[in-house]
């Protein structure tokens, strides 16, 4: 029995090595590691977890946005649209825009631009008859967007469902379409859109580099990329207060309003893991965009990154 001990030890060592090798193979099969908030997970696990987060919060998403930001997210989105300054005829792709906030603002903005165009046209034609003026207004009524279109693309069916319900309730239908799709593998042809927007969505894609490459691919030459996202606060005092609010208050709001502590804990953690402004700028440039810059809002709580496909 004593003589068998060395063999038992050898077999035990080989068994341990075999288990370690099997674990490594399983890890390779599951895909590269990444993060989900502060957890280390595989890319496949991250995609699944994020899908469930937004499936869980979809119905309360807008209410929670108002609660978490005290309504300031509306101002940030308005600033994004003013920075875009779309003209009638613009074709916009809004990625990860499931609940329609950017799309609805785009439609309102273009409608206002069309109205101003019509008023200028009529002002410069003072000799028009009443019938001609009436016909001009009727034409504008039926083509209030001037061939503009916005396509909302989101990977989550529940978010799209909420967006479609909002559009129906608010009366948005003209020039608006909804597409189920992944930001990392968009279901659109090359050189198709004038503007690509992603608001509070790029933080949740698994491979930011792939999403940026896809944004570049689907934009027309001369097209513009715009990203609105939570970023890194530059003011040290505000940064400490922001951390306190984020980790102590937002998950509690998530539990009280949406009945979901974990999802909002993830959202807070994901903001801290997101690349800072200069790093994201470099990633956008690496994807091929030119004239890349960013604008900090509220000391960097959020930032708008912009770039052009030339």
């Amino acid at each position: 029995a004593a003589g068998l001990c060395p063999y038992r030890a050898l077999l035990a060592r080989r068994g341990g090595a075999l288990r370690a090798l099997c674990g490594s193979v399983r890890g390779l099969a599951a895909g590269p590691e990444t993060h989900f908030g502060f957890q280390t997970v595989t890319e496949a696990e991250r995609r699944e977890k994020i899908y469930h987060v937004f499936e869980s919060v979809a119905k309360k998403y807008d209410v929670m946005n108002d609660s978490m930001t005290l309504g300031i997210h509306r101002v940030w989105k308005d600033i994004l649209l003013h920075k875009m300054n779309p003209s009638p005829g613009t074709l916009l792709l809004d990625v990860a825009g499931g609940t329609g906030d950017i799309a609805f603002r785009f439609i309102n903005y273009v409608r206002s631009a069309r109205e101003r165009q019509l008023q200028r046209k009529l002002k410069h034609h003072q000799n028009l008859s009443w019938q001609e003026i009436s016909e001009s207004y009727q034409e504008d009524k039926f083509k209030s967007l001037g061939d503009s279109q916005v396509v909302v693309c989101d990977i989550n069916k529940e978010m799209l469902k909420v967006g479609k319900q909002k559009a129906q309730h608010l009366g948005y239908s003209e020039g608006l379409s909804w597409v189920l799709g992944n930001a990392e593998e968009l279901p659109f042809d090359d050189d198709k859109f004038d503007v690509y927007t992603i608001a509070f969505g790029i933080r949740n894609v698994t491979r930011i580099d792939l999403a940026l490459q896809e944004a570049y691919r689907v934009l027309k030459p001369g097209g513009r990329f715009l990203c609105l996202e939570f970023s890194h606060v530059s003011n040290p005092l505000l940064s400490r207060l922001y951390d306190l609010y984020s980790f102590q208050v937002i998950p509690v709001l998530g539990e009280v309003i949406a009945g979901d502590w974990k999802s909002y804990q993830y959202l807070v953690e994901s903001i801290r893991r997101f690349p800072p402004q200069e790093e994201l700028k470099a990633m956008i440039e690496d994807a091929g965009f030119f004239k890349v810059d960013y604008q900090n809002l509220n000391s960097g709580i959020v930032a708008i990154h912009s770039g052009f496909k030339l």
Side-chain angles (χ1 to χ4, degrees):
L4 290 174
C5 286
Y7 296 101
R8 286 175 181 165
L10 178 62
L11 288 171
R13 285 197 298 273
R14 286 182 175 175
L18 183 60
R19 283 192 296 272
L21 178 60
C22 288
S24 299
V25 170
R26 282 195 299 271
L28 288 171
E33 286 188 343
T34 182
H35 58 83
F36 174 78
F38 293 158
Q39 299 177 43
T40 299
V41 295
T42 65
E43 288 185 354
E45 287 172 334
R46 174 184 163 86
R47 288 189 182 96
E48 184 178 354
K49 285 176 178 290
I50 289 176
Y51 189 91
H52 288 311
V53 163
F54 285 94
E55 188 176 50
S56 171
V57 305
K59 291 180 181 178
K60 296 289 186 178
Y61 185 77
D62 290 329
V63 176
M64 276 301 299
N65 278 348
D66 282 332
S67 301
M68 287 189 302
T69 69
L70 307 177
I72 301 172
H73 75 100
R74 298 172 182 267
V75 178
W76 295 334
K77 290 167 182 173
D78 287 341
I79 293 171
L80 178 69
L81 259 295
H82 282 280
K83 194 173 183 71
M84 184 195 308
N85 191 24
S87 58
T90 299
L91 184 57
L92 168 66
L93 173 63
D94 183 37
V95 176
T99 57
D101 271 6
I102 300 302
F104 303 153
R105 280 170 169 78
F106 171 80
I107 291 171
N108 291 340
Y109 198 100
V110 173
R111 280 178 179 167
S112 296
R114 282 280 292 171
E115 181 66 26
R116 289 193 298 271
Q117 279 185 351
L118 179 64
Q119 289 175 358
R120 284 195 299 269
K121 175 184 172 183
L122 296 177
K123 188 176 180 180
H124 287 92
H125 294 82
Q126 295 288 348
N127 58 342
L128 288 177
S129 67
W130 171 83
Q131 185 177 1
E132 288 171 324
I133 292 173
S134 177
E135 287 173 355
S136 292
Y137 270 107
Q138 287 301 316
E139 180 186 351
D140 184 64
K141 180 180 178 181
F142 290 110
K143 291 190 69 178
S144 63
L145 294 180
D147 298 322
S148 292
Q149 295 261 339
V150 52
V151 178
V152 180
C153 180
D154 201 294
I155 197 171
N156 193 286
K157 292 179 181 178
E158 286 300 312
M159 294 290 281
L160 285 173
K161 182 180 176 182
V162 170
K164 290 176 183 178
Q165 290 170 346
K166 279 175 61 181
Q168 186 175 15
H169 175 71
L170 296 171
Y172 293 102
S173 58
E174 180 196 358
L176 174 62
S177 56
W178 308 83
V179 174
L180 185 69
N182 186 346
E184 299 168 47
E185 194 174 354
L186 293 170
F188 306 108
D189 294 335
D190 297 356
D191 307 328
K192 183 175 178 65
F193 297 95
D194 300 302
V195 182
Y196 171 112
T197 53
I198 184 163
F200 304 116
I202 202 165
R203 189 179 78 255
N204 298 305
V205 303
T206 301
R207 291 278 305 275
I208 294 175
D209 58 333
L210 293 183
L212 292 172
Q213 289 168 24
E214 281 292 272
Y216 187 88
R217 180 183 66 79
V218 301
L219 278 170
K220 298 175 183 176
R224 190 175 192 184
F225 168 87
L226 285 166
C227 171
L228 171 64
E229 187 55 85
F230 288 107
S231 201
H232 289 242
V233 179
S234 55
N235 183 297
L237 176 60
L238 180 60
S239 179
R240 286 195 291 273
L241 293 172
Y242 181 48
D243 279 346
L244 183 66
Y245 174 76
S246 297
F247 286 100
Q248 301 301 321
V249 177
I250 288 178
V252 175
L253 287 174
E255 181 64 30
V256 171
I257 296 172
D260 192 336
W261 177 294
K262 289 184 179 179
S263 291
Y264 286 94
Q265 180 71 26
Y266 155 72
L267 291 175
V268 170
E269 292 175 359
S270 69
I271 293 169
R272 298 309 182 275
R273 293 298 301 260
F274 190 67
Q277 290 89 325
E278 285 291 333
E279 187 176 333
L280 181 59
K281 178 185 175 184
M283 293 175 74
I284 296 168
E285 290 171 336
D286 288 344
F289 289 98
F290 290 87
K291 292 178 65 65
V292 179
D293 62 12
Y294 60 87
Q295 175 186 357
N296 282 331
L297 305 178
N298 296 97
S299 298
I301 290 178
V302 299
I304 298 175
H305 280 73
S306 169
F308 293 88
K309 177 178 178 177
L310 301 178

